[in-house]
Amino acid sequence: MKSLFLWMSGLLFISLTGAHDLKHFLENFVVAKRNDANPVTLTCRTNIEGPVTWKFHGAELEDVDIEDNVQQNGPNLSVSEVDKPMLGKYSCWRGEDILSSTYLLLEAEEEDTSDFFSINCRAKSYDCNFSCAWVPKGQYPVRLGLGRDCSEGGKTCDWVSSDLIKDGRFQFEFYHSLSPYTEESTKLELTAEAIVNLSILRRTMRFYVRDIIIPDSPKIVSCQEGKEDLNVTIDAPSSWSTPHSYFSLEHEIEYILKDDGTSGYSSSGLIPKRISKLRVHSRDPLVPSSWSEWTPWKNVTC
């Protein structure tokens, strides 16, 4: 099946103060690994010299139960033996002025996951774009990135977020630079990140464009009566790659006989006479492509 259903284990659920107010993906965060002996460093991003004070969820550090796990080094803060109680929003201050803030998140482990979500990607043609839909199971911040820099966690990744829900799904649009006229030898790398209750999950999926090809429905142009059969002319959808002599499509016709109401199929464009209606769908014949959606039923008058 050409539709790529990418199932990704997902989301670590924990109950923490301030964990349920994240509606959008965070801009500034640091990810810690569970049971990591190395402390993580939170940076106070300011160009102003002088002493700073760190707060956790707006409270002074000495007023919360994580004081033994934090140590200030100049303007920065080190957090050791990171676990659930230490996750959340840290901010650095000078007097009454906030200078910057950073979220400390925990990297979710496979055995910690307790829910699933799916990402379904589709390309309508071999042109340089495709779309992905994510079916949410809650209001989780999520972002997707295309390319090696995203899968390796690079700072130049062009992440794509979505606030648009269509038919209960988040929609994402992507563009790639692979030539449609050469045989694919390089897989696309799509990385997804989700934040749930201050834990972050990352999954990278690798696939060829041909793996996600699903054409739009074709066009029924005409139906001409021949000596023994009806000849149906079908055109590729306008979204399909051109020239059609190079990017061919295979069409299948389903028809209903007038005499007894039974259905039949044809892949040649020739169908029997005395039919009441027909419909058509298409696929790429050169790869194991999924069929397009059927066209609406068309009444036959020829």
Side-chain angles (χ1 to χ4, degrees), residues 64-77:
V64 293
D65 293 333
I66 64 170
E67 185 178 6
D68 293 339
N69 298 89
V70 297
Q71 180 178 353
Q72 187 166 338
N73 300 305
N76 300 329
L77 188 71

Side-chain angles (χ1 to χ4, degrees), residues 2 213-215 250-252 281-283 289-293:
K2 208 58 177 293
I213 287 290
I214 307 177
E250 172 189 3
H251 307 297
E252 183 181 53
H281 62 177
S282 304
R283 68 178 178 183
S289 164
S290 291
W291 288 99
S292 71
E293 295 288 334

Side-chain angles (χ1 to χ4, degrees), residues 164-179:
L164 175 62
I165 296 184
K166 181 179 180 182
D167 299 327
R169 302 180 179 188
F170 286 106
Q171 298 290 130
F172 302 85
E173 300 292 331
F174 295 96
Y175 298 88
H176 63 84
S177 58
L178 301 178
S179 172

